[in-house]
Amino acid sequence: MESLRGVRVLVTGASTGIGEQMAYHYASFGAQLVITARREKVLQQVVDKCLSLGAQQAFYVAADMADESDPDRVVELALEKLGGLDYLVLNHIGPSPFSMWTGDVEHVRWLMKVNFFSYIQMAWKGLAALEQSRGSLVIVSSLLGKMPSPFVAPYTSTKFALNGFFGALRHELGMKNSNVSISICTLGLIDTPNAMDKVKGVTNVPAYPSSEAALNIIITAATRQPELFYPWFTYIVTLTKDWFPSVTDYIIQNSYNYIP
Ligand code: NDP
């Protein structure tokens, strides 16, 4: 963790949940931070706490990732404030209903902008700076980006898109002997207020602590590992889900309290 003192970090979706917890961990390791999300007042509070925890510097920028120019603007501002970038941690997600798909294509289009297009835009904008610093690009994804599940079709599709895109980009960077590492983080259910609100009474799948998830993401990035699976069994699920597809489907469809 000593190696994180003074590192320059941009964390998205840091007003709450796992992003907020990552900001606090980075702060307590003495990093220099720029955080972003939409709600300015909340971001200000997170920045204040980061400074009190030991961040060398902490700034926020309010931005809406559905806006086509905001992803670039946020990276530009981070580069200007921090003078470069060591970690670009892409973590934000737009709100999406936990319900059966009812044909709202417009919502999927919007969610793709927030959860996918803004990620690739920010990654491209930050890549040269990461190359210079031998930095890391961190993509916070989900088990639902490896295995489709009911009630979250729009969300699942954005996570599959991220895994596909950044998996391909990682090959390309490797083939170019790039300095930049890409860590793709596969998370199971984490106890953030937004996630808990959605699944309350619907599933008995255990939720894991957001602070620990955040720390695992930070360690994965700092050690330049290509993948994180947290909690550990998400790795087993990813490996075994295709061995007996009908058993997997049965388990998935019966792990929710759903009455037709
Ligand atoms: P939260 O819903 O708690 O936080 C989402 C963050 O994104 C907030 O800071 C929110 O702030 C910001 N945000 C929402 N919409 C926008 C927008 N249009 N533009 C910019 N920022 C926006 O998410 P979690 O902490 O639960 O999840 C974090 C990551 O972990 C996500 O990538 C998620 O997919 C992944 N993950 C989470 C799991 C879980 O169970 N919690 C499970 C698997 C993966 P604001 O409202 O201020 O904009």
Side-chain angles (χ1 to χ4, degrees):
M1 289 307 132
E2 255 314 297
S3 70
L4 293 174
R5 187 169 307 282
V7 291
R8 298 157 300 178
V9 188
L10 169 56
V11 184
T12 70
S15 62
T16 186
I18 299 166
E20 180 187 2
Q21 296 303 318
M22 284 195 278
Y24 297 151
H25 284 303
Y26 275 121
S28 62
F29 298 138
Q32 309 180 61
L33 278 164
V34 170
I35 61 167
T36 184
R38 289 167 306 176
R39 290 168 299 158
E40 195 159 354
K41 273 196 184 141
V42 190
L43 287 170
Q44 179 66 68
Q45 289 164 4
V46 176
V47 157
D48 291 345
K49 187 161 170 190
C50 285
L51 290 170
S52 73
L53 285 169
Q56 285 186 7
Q57 304 192 76
F59 306 95
Y60 72 83
V61 49
D64 183 347
M65 292 299 166
D67 181 303
E68 279 171 24
S69 57
D70 273 9
D72 282 354
R73 180 172 67 82
V74 169
V75 177
E76 276 162 12
L77 188 131
L79 292 173
E80 186 190 310
K81 292 277 184 202
L82 305 178
L85 209 51
D86 299 298
Y87 293 94
L88 173 52
V89 185
L90 300 175
N91 162 78
H92 61 277
I93 44 166
S96 189
F98 188 86
S99 60
M100 289 263 177
W101 162 246
T102 53
D104 188 351
V105 178
E106 231 7 86
H107 172 68
V108 183
R109 221 187 295 279
W110 174 84
L111 200 65
M112 272 289 178
K113 272 193 200 169
V114 178
N115 290 12
F116 176 66
F117 286 114
S118 68
Y119 276 54
I120 67 176
Q121 207 176 332
M122 292 182 84
W124 184 246
K125 196 77 186 168
L127 211 52
L130 292 174
E131 191 70 56
Q132 250 178 20
S133 65
R134 196 173 176 270
S136 299
L137 180 58
V138 183
I139 307 300
V140 181
S141 189
S142 166
L143 184 56
L144 300 180
K146 304 260 188 197
M147 184 180 78
S149 232
F151 309 123
V152 285
Y155 171 79
T156 288
S157 53
T158 66
K159 293 299 187 186
F160 267 80
L162 284 178
N163 284 5
F165 186 92
F166 286 99
L169 186 63
R170 189 165 54 206
H171 282 308
E172 292 178 10
L173 295 184
M175 291 160 81
K176 288 197 281 192
N177 294 321
S178 162
N179 274 332
V180 181
S181 72
I182 297 187
S183 300
I184 300 178
C185 304
T186 296
L187 304 183
L189 185 60
I190 309 297
D191 67 358
T192 62
N194 286 342
M196 290 300 93
D197 249 19
K198 283 191 182 142
V199 301
K200 199 167 44 195
V202 183
T203 179
N204 296 325
V205 171
Y208 284 73
S210 58
S211 173
E212 196 174 287
L215 186 58
N216 275 274
I217 295 169
I218 290 171
I219 292 169
T220 301
T223 50
R224 303 174 77 80
Q225 294 181 63
E227 302 253 8
L228 164 70
F229 290 89
Y230 176 89
W232 63 271
F233 65 77
T234 55
Y235 183 57
I236 309 294
V237 174
T238 304
L239 279 183
T240 57
K241 69 182 171 48
D242 296 328
W243 292 0
F244 306 102
S246 50
V247 176
T248 305
D249 287 355
Y250 179 85
I251 294 171
I252 290 173
Q253 288 170 27
N254 288 282
S255 63
Y256 296 95
N257 303 323
Y258 173 71
I259 301 157

